[in-house]
Amino acid sequence: MCGITAVAGPGDEDVVDVLLGGLRNLEYRGYDSAGVATPGDGGVSVVKREGGIDDLASALDAAAVAGSVGVGHTRWSTHGAPTDANAHPHTDCDDRVAVVHNGIIENYSTLREELLARGHSFTSDTDTEVVPHLVAERLAAGASAAEAFRDTVARLDGRYAVAMVVDGEDAVYAARDGSPLVVGVGDDRRFVASDVPSFLEHTADVVFLEDGDVVRVTADDHVVTDADGRRADRDVNTVDWQPEDAERDGFDHYMLKEIHEQPAAVERAVNGRITAAGGVDLDGFPPGSFGDVDDVQIVACGTSYHAALYARQLLAERGVPTQVFSAGEYATTPAPVGDDTLVVGVTQSGETADTLASLQAAADRGARTLAVTNVVGSTAARTCDDALFIRAGPEIGVAATKTFSSQVATLTLLAERLAEDVTGSVPEERAAVLRALERLPSDLQDVLDRAAVEPLAAQFRDRDGHFFIGRGVAYPVALEGALKFKEITYEHAEGFAAGELKHGPLALVTPDTPVFAVFSGRHDDKTLNNVEEVASRGAPVVGVASEESTDVVDAVDEFLPIPDTHPVAAGVLANVQLQLVSYHVADLLGRSIDKPRNLAKSVTVE
Ligand code: F6R
């Protein structure tokens, strides 16, 4: 979705440079238009452009924008096409107020009608533009900027985060209700942003605002008031992300860097969570934590949904009744929950609207909720009964990579804790699973060190379609392989349960549709039958399997090896090979790998 950044007190730096830096760090949230605004004494100065941050930077070279506070925005359009006029910030008729916004204002058309009837004129098609006009009306009626902002925010319905500057004031006003917004607390300056990486190079001290909060931020202070207008004390948390985590570090793309970060990310996910005695020590979840759980429902979207399907395999094998739902569906049609149903939301960002809505629907029905997320202080982490962190570090590339591996590692540990608590017994297989998890970082490194997928990428860069098949844990890996492929190459790709092929998709298989067959080491013989089915229709087959699987090597045209390990870890390793195939095909095709068309990282609208 859109990215908001704002600074009060740029110190020795030019306010525009700080805003541009903050926007570049948020570009993964939206990249079809961008803009900045600073207040002066006779009005606000605004520069905004269709296109990316570089287009905005060129426009700013020729503009005189200065000051000691400012707001910026990078947009992923929802209301109104990506044009200069629809880019944020938006202003009132007299250019006294400039506003940036993320999310959707659901009652904007009613507000717009009202404002039009009172003589306001609009210059964009956005829902956002009602905000500066409403603020300006209150200012004209004698309200202070703080009062005008609070009164305006109180009139907005929907899920939003907004930030505002007003002429003559060295302050940023901001509010959230349903969309993320954080305050960065530096020594002599403060920031407001949709996400921490925006200002991480300046400070790691963060206030996570809550729904209903309104904040006034100056260089040396921030005052938060809650939904009832009372002063609210919000803790300052120090995040353990490093500024370099949010940089490209010599890699051509964030995605490639993040693929290579998987050994370290999984190490962090597992570190300290496996005891010397072979038990699971999940921070905050001692043995028995889930003793009253009867069944588990998992809600998630996209890559996180695939990690959830992966976890379901293990839970089902362990005898824990588990269902996985696409959060977009669950949010509209929640499944019945019992008194002892645990509903787990798997969400990297902790801000995905569908997942949050599903968790809320489950909580409203009396279920216990648990967020499995990457972001401390995210909405999911704060609103669920409990939170478990995957510790992947910031992921900037829009395509999720390292967070899938960290989710699977964390969910595997959670599954072991759940299985023990729910069934009252420790399965014999646990020791092998935990050993494989402990080995996973070095196995991941091995795959990365030995991977050589470029020739294969060149061979399959331009085909009619690309199919991915697997069963057991290899099934969600097939889905994830296809998602990554379509997302960044823009080529047609589909993932199937291997057994489903002959129930329809086989009709699409031709010599021009490479099939990527994923093997986890379990049920491989059945998947080999499916390989036969596609090979006999002339499709080239790429097998991703243990380097020791001679059966697979013999049956396929191309082979991508992974170290021999437990199936729970094998799927994660196979997924890395598929991530690299997608990456290199996209690179050969010259695609915008870190910012694929039409996509944004954190989807905060339903
Ligand atoms: C795919 C991708 C998306 C996200 C999905 C959920 O590469 O990144 O499919 O996985 O939008 O996001 P989170 O995990 O933040 O809830």
Side-chain angles (χ1 to χ4, degrees), residues 465-485:
H466 305 79
F467 298 134
F468 295 74
I469 60 169
R471 47 165 44 76
V473 293
Y475 166 49
V477 173
L479 295 180
E480 176 60 10
L483 177 68
K484 217 80 329 175
F485 200 91

Short mmCIF file of all heavy atoms in Angstrom, two decimals, residues 465-485:
data_model
loop_
_atom_site.label_atom_id
_atom_site.label_comp_id
_atom_site.label_asym_id
_atom_site.label_seq_id
_atom_site.Cartn_x
_atom_site.Cartn_y
_atom_site.Cartn_z
N GLY A 465 3.57 -21.54 -20.61
CA GLY A 465 3.15 -21.59 -19.21
C GLY A 465 4.19 -22.35 -18.42
O GLY A 465 5.05 -23.03 -18.99
N HIS A 466 4.15 -22.19 -17.10
CA HIS A 466 5.12 -22.85 -16.22
C HIS A 466 4.32 -23.47 -15.09
O HIS A 466 3.63 -22.75 -14.35
CB HIS A 466 6.13 -21.83 -15.69
CG HIS A 466 6.81 -21.07 -16.78
ND1 HIS A 466 6.21 -20.01 -17.43
CD2 HIS A 466 8.03 -21.22 -17.35
CE1 HIS A 466 7.03 -19.55 -18.35
NE2 HIS A 466 8.14 -20.26 -18.33
N PHE A 467 4.42 -24.79 -14.96
CA PHE A 467 3.62 -25.47 -13.93
C PHE A 467 4.52 -25.98 -12.82
O PHE A 467 5.68 -26.38 -13.07
CB PHE A 467 2.83 -26.62 -14.55
CG PHE A 467 1.85 -26.13 -15.58
CD1 PHE A 467 1.72 -26.76 -16.81
CD2 PHE A 467 1.05 -25.03 -15.33
CE1 PHE A 467 0.81 -26.30 -17.76
CE2 PHE A 467 0.15 -24.56 -16.26
CZ PHE A 467 0.02 -25.19 -17.49
N PHE A 468 4.00 -25.95 -11.62
CA PHE A 468 4.74 -26.37 -10.43
C PHE A 468 3.88 -27.39 -9.69
O PHE A 468 2.71 -27.11 -9.40
CB PHE A 468 5.01 -25.16 -9.52
CG PHE A 468 5.92 -24.12 -10.14
CD1 PHE A 468 5.47 -23.29 -11.14
CD2 PHE A 468 7.24 -23.99 -9.70
CE1 PHE A 468 6.29 -22.34 -11.72
CE2 PHE A 468 8.07 -23.03 -10.26
CZ PHE A 468 7.61 -22.22 -11.28
N ILE A 469 4.43 -28.57 -9.42
CA ILE A 469 3.64 -29.61 -8.75
C ILE A 469 4.39 -30.17 -7.54
O ILE A 469 5.63 -30.15 -7.50
CB ILE A 469 3.25 -30.76 -9.70
CG1 ILE A 469 4.51 -31.45 -10.27
CG2 ILE A 469 2.35 -30.26 -10.83
CD1 ILE A 469 4.20 -32.77 -11.02
N GLY A 470 3.63 -30.65 -6.58
CA GLY A 470 4.22 -31.31 -5.41
C GLY A 470 3.11 -31.89 -4.55
O GLY A 470 1.94 -31.57 -4.76
N ARG A 471 3.46 -32.75 -3.63
CA ARG A 471 2.46 -33.26 -2.66
C ARG A 471 3.08 -33.23 -1.27
O ARG A 471 4.29 -33.12 -1.11
CB ARG A 471 1.94 -34.65 -3.03
CG ARG A 471 2.99 -35.66 -3.40
CD ARG A 471 2.48 -37.08 -3.40
NE ARG A 471 1.18 -37.33 -4.02
CZ ARG A 471 0.94 -37.37 -5.35
NH1 ARG A 471 1.94 -37.16 -6.20
NH2 ARG A 471 -0.26 -37.64 -5.80
N GLY A 472 2.20 -33.32 -0.25
CA GLY A 472 2.70 -33.14 1.12
C GLY A 472 3.24 -31.72 1.26
O GLY A 472 2.67 -30.77 0.71
N VAL A 473 4.36 -31.56 1.97
CA VAL A 473 4.89 -30.19 2.11
C VAL A 473 5.38 -29.63 0.78
O VAL A 473 5.54 -28.42 0.63
CB VAL A 473 6.03 -30.11 3.16
CG1 VAL A 473 5.52 -30.39 4.56
CG2 VAL A 473 7.21 -30.97 2.79
N ALA A 474 5.61 -30.51 -0.19
CA ALA A 474 6.05 -30.01 -1.50
C ALA A 474 4.90 -29.34 -2.26
O ALA A 474 5.14 -28.61 -3.22
CB ALA A 474 6.63 -31.15 -2.33
N TYR A 475 3.65 -29.58 -1.82
CA TYR A 475 2.51 -28.92 -2.48
C TYR A 475 2.51 -27.41 -2.23
O TYR A 475 2.51 -26.61 -3.19
CB TYR A 475 1.20 -29.60 -2.05
CG TYR A 475 -0.04 -28.83 -2.38
CD1 TYR A 475 -0.26 -28.31 -3.66
CD2 TYR A 475 -1.03 -28.60 -1.42
CE1 TYR A 475 -1.40 -27.59 -3.96
CE2 TYR A 475 -2.18 -27.89 -1.71
CZ TYR A 475 -2.35 -27.38 -2.97
OH TYR A 475 -3.48 -26.66 -3.27
N PRO A 476 2.55 -26.95 -0.94
CA PRO A 476 2.66 -25.50 -0.76
C PRO A 476 3.91 -24.91 -1.39
O PRO A 476 3.91 -23.75 -1.82
CB PRO A 476 2.65 -25.30 0.77
CG PRO A 476 2.72 -26.64 1.39
CD PRO A 476 2.33 -27.65 0.35
N VAL A 477 4.97 -25.69 -1.49
CA VAL A 477 6.19 -25.16 -2.15
C VAL A 477 5.91 -24.97 -3.65
O VAL A 477 6.35 -23.99 -4.25
CB VAL A 477 7.39 -26.11 -1.92
CG1 VAL A 477 8.60 -25.66 -2.73
CG2 VAL A 477 7.74 -26.15 -0.44
N ALA A 478 5.15 -25.89 -4.24
CA ALA A 478 4.78 -25.73 -5.65
C ALA A 478 3.93 -24.46 -5.83
O ALA A 478 4.14 -23.68 -6.76
CB ALA A 478 4.01 -26.96 -6.14
N LEU A 479 2.98 -24.26 -4.90
CA LEU A 479 2.15 -23.04 -4.99
C LEU A 479 3.03 -21.79 -4.85
O LEU A 479 2.86 -20.80 -5.57
CB LEU A 479 1.09 -23.04 -3.88
CG LEU A 479 0.02 -24.13 -3.93
CD1 LEU A 479 -0.94 -23.99 -2.75
CD2 LEU A 479 -0.76 -24.06 -5.24
N GLU A 480 3.94 -21.85 -3.91
CA GLU A 480 4.81 -20.70 -3.67
C GLU A 480 5.75 -20.47 -4.86
O GLU A 480 6.00 -19.32 -5.26
CB GLU A 480 5.60 -20.93 -2.36
CG GLU A 480 6.61 -19.85 -2.00
CD GLU A 480 6.03 -18.46 -1.82
OE1 GLU A 480 4.80 -18.29 -1.78
OE2 GLU A 480 6.82 -17.51 -1.76
N GLY A 481 6.25 -21.56 -5.44
CA GLY A 481 7.12 -21.43 -6.62
C GLY A 481 6.39 -20.74 -7.75
O GLY A 481 6.93 -19.85 -8.42
N ALA A 482 5.12 -21.12 -7.96
CA ALA A 482 4.33 -20.51 -9.04
C ALA A 482 4.00 -19.06 -8.73
O ALA A 482 4.04 -18.19 -9.61
CB ALA A 482 3.05 -21.31 -9.26
N LEU A 483 3.68 -18.78 -7.46
CA LEU A 483 3.35 -17.39 -7.08
C LEU A 483 4.55 -16.49 -7.34
O LEU A 483 4.43 -15.41 -7.94
CB LEU A 483 2.95 -17.33 -5.60
CG LEU A 483 2.66 -15.92 -5.07
CD1 LEU A 483 1.40 -15.34 -5.71
CD2 LEU A 483 2.50 -15.92 -3.56
N LYS A 484 5.74 -16.94 -6.89
CA LYS A 484 6.94 -16.12 -7.07
C LYS A 484 7.20 -15.91 -8.55
O LYS A 484 7.53 -14.82 -8.99
CB LYS A 484 8.11 -16.84 -6.40
CG LYS A 484 9.11 -16.02 -5.73
CD LYS A 484 8.77 -15.52 -4.34
CE LYS A 484 7.34 -15.26 -4.04
NZ LYS A 484 7.03 -14.91 -2.69
N PHE A 485 7.02 -16.98 -9.34
CA PHE A 485 7.31 -16.90 -10.78
C PHE A 485 6.41 -15.88 -11.45
O PHE A 485 6.87 -15.00 -12.18
CB PHE A 485 7.14 -18.28 -11.41
CG PHE A 485 7.86 -18.43 -12.71
CD1 PHE A 485 9.16 -18.90 -12.75
CD2 PHE A 485 7.25 -18.09 -13.91
CE1 PHE A 485 9.84 -19.04 -13.96
CE2 PHE A 485 7.91 -18.22 -15.11
CZ PHE A 485 9.21 -18.69 -15.14
#
